[in-house]
Amino acid sequence: AFPLSGSISLRSERGEHKERGGEKPSAHAQSERKEERKRARTHTRRRRKKKKPNASEKGGKAAMASVKKAMQARQKLLRECKDLLETYKQSTVTPSTHVDEFIKSRKIREEGVVLFLREVMYGTQRYAKLLKAIVDGLYARHPSQVNRLDRSLYTIMTYLTVFRINELTMTEYKRLVRSQEPHKMHVFLAFLYDEKLMQTWTRDQMLTIYDHNYVDTELLGSPETGGGLYTNLSVIRTLLAELDSLLRPGTASNDDMKTQAMLSMKKKKKTKTTTRTKPFNLTRPKPRKAPDPTVEIPVQYQARPMPGNLNETSLVKIEKERQAKAAERRKKTSEKYKGHQEQSSVLTRLEEHNELTRKRKIELKRKNDAVVSEAMKAYTEQKHVIQTKKFYDTVKDKTSPEIRANAAAILREEAMYRKKQEQEAAVIRAYEANLRDSSEFDEWKARQDALQKQAEEEERQKRKEELERISEIAKQAVEEHAREKRHAAAAMKKEKAEMEEMMEMERQHEREENHLRTLEVQKIRVFAKDAVARVEVENKTRAAAMQQDQEERRKFREKEKEQEMRQKKELIKEIQAMVAQALAKSKVPKEFDPTTTSGVGLLEEMSLNELQERLKHLKVKGRKETNHKRTQLNLKRESKKEELALKLKRLSRLRKQNAEAGATRRAAKQKNALEIAASLRTKREKHAQAMYEKLERARENKRQEALRLAKDLKTRRIAKTFLDADAAKVEEAKWRQMERGEEREAEVAQALKQARARKSRSIKTKEANQRALNSTLAQKKLKALRGTVDAETHAGLRRIEKRQAEEAVVKTINARTIKAEREANARKVQDRRPYDATIKKQQLREARENSKTKAAVAPADRTLARAGQMISS
């Protein structure tokens, strides 16, 4: 429309120019004419270049469109199946009901699609165990290549591949695979048709659910005989190669390959495609490492010489000097507090307690070693034990390498030992306060623990004997129950035969009724044809009315579209005019002075030169701070190293002491274990003997019980023969007893019914009286409550009105005072700085001009965005 209107206006202006007598137009009119000529030339070039497509191109486009439509239909079908499985809740609805609701909600009317959805739903539920195992294996083997959101898609494709690929046909299956993303299908098919997995993992998973004959013939098959998944293995390999070519970099894009595949499905002639140049997929070279410098850099730092007395001292000498100094310090302290011996400090008592404990431990260790050596003498004299001891003695004599501990290990161990020392100090302080320690309590506790263990062992043995006795009783009960079941089975067989006779009679009666019902249905079918014809006529009339209504709606929509298009064209013209005006106003050059500020009025405003000077000053200050921090960190590091060295010496001494204490503990524990094992062995032998005797007695009792039961059974059979003779008399007596029992039951039921009637009448009268009383009380309470609420409401309203009046008076007074203060402050400020008012007026004027320019540009931007959205929609 634009070039055509431009050419017409150009001709009319030329004619007007000639009629005016050759008056020269303005510069703006000349520029507009040049733009119109340019548009006319471009329009004519496009018309010349544009050619009509031939018949072959039209046919190719139609084929492409039809193939693309078919692919979209398959994608939609698989998407519907995926949504069907994901929205199914097994605990609330059945599969068939869920499918019907899903089809109704999605408004699916195609019979083929509905049938496909039903088959997928029922099949995935029927083979759910196998499908779950295969999909779980896919996610476990390729966790980084598959998405958790595609689990339903993989389940559907597994079901179609394993169970329904022959019914679908291989051509349709390929189309379904090509309609999905190539990466997903390539990973899925490569996993499912991997020959190693098919013979090992896949076959094992199938055998856990189905029979091996069914798996080897129907589901999986074998490479020799075929069948199952092996039937289409060669076709799947070609499909995998095609998917691989889609995913391989350097080949044609995915869209191009999809279009070629779609054309090959329709068996159209291949059209020649031009060669497309693409850059080589070359590896980028890594940056080479710079060569080492050949010039040696002189070292300016020189270390101090090693002190001469370094090799003269050793750890032994240092330890001796430390002990001598500690002894001298202890001696001076004792001399200083010589007159106060009775008031000994906590340190002296701690040393005395440690000395006593050490002597006690040494004595206990010696006794334990003697007992253990005597008990283990027979074991230690064996040949292999002697050889092992010699080997460990030789290894122990060798000097082991020193293992250096890091700072974390030293601090951790030092904290552990400090905690133990604090616990020991707490024990000593408690001893000083209470004049007793926990040694007696520990001995008593050890004795009680031993007695408790012994009691638990005896209780365990008693429980074991009780369980054995109960098991014997249970065996006898099982045998008795089996005998009762055999008798009951014989009686049930007789009852079953009688029931079968009755059921056969019922079936015969049902067959006769069904025959009569079929005759009635055949008579009714004759009248159904007339009703069908009437319904068809009604449907045709309704369809004609619906078609007429749709045609009217279509015409109305076309009119609306034409009107909307006219509005869009007018809006675009307005936008173009506004954009031209905004661009003309916005092209104003600006100058920049680095010595001046922006003048916005912000705090800390500065020019560019001042900013650069400030940055230099801050950089120098930052360097000084980093140097100071570096020196402080070096000092801290040195002090930390010295502390760690002292702690390591202290820890080595404590380790040695703990090793000695641990050896004594292990020896005592070993001795106790031997004593306990010996006592347990003797107890076990006694219990075994007692149990053997008890079992023998139980077997003898069981034998006597079996003989007694056989004798009792014989007497019962003899008594039954005598009782059968008087069966008629017994039956008559039984009938009389039954009649008397029914009479008694009737009398009791009548008495109970009369008592219930009396009770219900009394309850109803009481309930009516109570309801009347409750209603009167409730009315009185309601009346009193309403009176109190009305009084409180009136009082509250009066208080609110009074408060509002007071607040209004206060507000007016405050407003007057604030106004007077503001006027006084304004006068003071104006007296102090008379030039501020003119500066503010100038700033306000500039701000108004900027806002006007922004307001002129903003509507144009908004209209452009709105027009773009309307055109795209």
Side-chain angles (χ1 to χ4, degrees), residues 141-169:
R141 193 170 181 82
H142 304 286
S144 62
Q145 297 180 1
V146 290
N147 192 353
R148 292 286 173 187
L149 300 176
D150 297 328
R151 187 179 182 87
S152 302
L153 175 63
Y154 290 129
T155 304
I156 294 163
M157 293 304 297
T158 307
Y159 167 68
L160 296 176
T161 308
V162 177
F163 296 101
R164 291 301 182 92
I165 193 168
N166 294 327
E167 296 179 20
L168 276 174
T169 68

Side-chain angles (χ1 to χ4, degrees), residues 156 229 241 260 367 371 518 567 581 643 653 670 721-722 812 843:
I156 294 163
L229 293 177
Q260 290 176 12
K367 290 180 181 179
V371 173
T518 51
Q567 292 176 359
Q581 292 177 4
E643 288 178 4
R653 187 176 69 255
Q670 192 174 9
T721 55
F722 285 107
T812 54
Q843 288 178 354

Side-chain angles (χ1 to χ4, degrees), residues 451-552:
L451 292 172
Q452 187 178 358
K453 286 181 181 178
Q454 187 177 359
E456 287 176 358
E457 187 65 27
E458 291 175 358
E459 184 67 25
R460 199 179 296 112
Q461 195 65 30
K462 286 180 183 177
R463 200 179 297 115
K464 187 176 178 182
E465 293 173 1
E466 187 69 21
L467 288 172
E468 290 175 354
R469 186 174 62 79
I470 290 168
S471 66
E472 290 291 333
I473 294 169
K475 288 178 184 176
Q476 294 175 6
V478 167
E479 292 176 358
E480 184 68 23
H481 188 59
R483 284 196 295 272
E484 290 177 359
K485 279 188 174 181
R486 284 195 289 273
H487 293 304
M492 287 173 72
K493 285 180 181 178
K494 291 180 182 178
E495 189 176 355
K496 185 180 178 182
E498 293 175 358
M499 292 291 291
E500 285 179 354
E501 291 178 359
M502 291 174 66
M503 287 174 69
E504 185 63 31
M505 293 172 65
E506 289 178 358
R507 288 195 200 99
Q508 185 65 29
H509 181 65
E510 190 175 355
R511 281 196 290 270
E512 292 175 357
E513 288 182 353
N514 290 337
H515 181 65
L516 296 172
R517 197 177 291 115
T518 51
L519 294 175
E520 291 176 0
V521 170
Q522 288 174 1
K523 292 177 182 178
I524 292 166
R525 280 181 182 175
V526 177
F527 302 104
K529 291 181 181 180
D530 298 334
V532 170
R534 286 196 300 274
V535 171
E536 286 179 355
V537 172
E538 291 176 359
N539 289 339
K540 286 179 181 179
T541 55
R542 196 181 298 112
M546 287 173 69
Q547 285 179 359
Q548 187 176 0
D549 188 15
Q550 288 177 359
E551 186 65 26
E552 291 176 357

Side-chain angles (χ1 to χ4, degrees), residues 393-447:
D393 290 338
T394 55
V395 171
K396 191 176 180 182
D397 292 338
K398 294 180 180 179
T399 57
S400 59
E402 185 180 359
I403 299 171
R404 291 183 63 186
N406 56 7
I410 293 168
L411 293 173
R412 188 164 52 247
E413 194 171 358
E414 197 257 341
M416 183 183 68
Y417 282 122
R418 191 186 297 114
K419 190 176 179 181
K420 288 182 180 178
Q421 288 174 359
E422 288 175 358
Q423 290 175 357
E424 292 175 359
V427 170
I428 293 165
R429 284 196 294 271
Y431 180 71
E432 289 178 354
N434 302 325
L435 297 179
R436 62 183 181 84
D437 59 353
S438 62
S439 58
E440 295 179 1
F441 173 74
D442 293 338
E443 292 175 0
W444 174 82
K445 188 178 179 182
R447 288 196 301 273

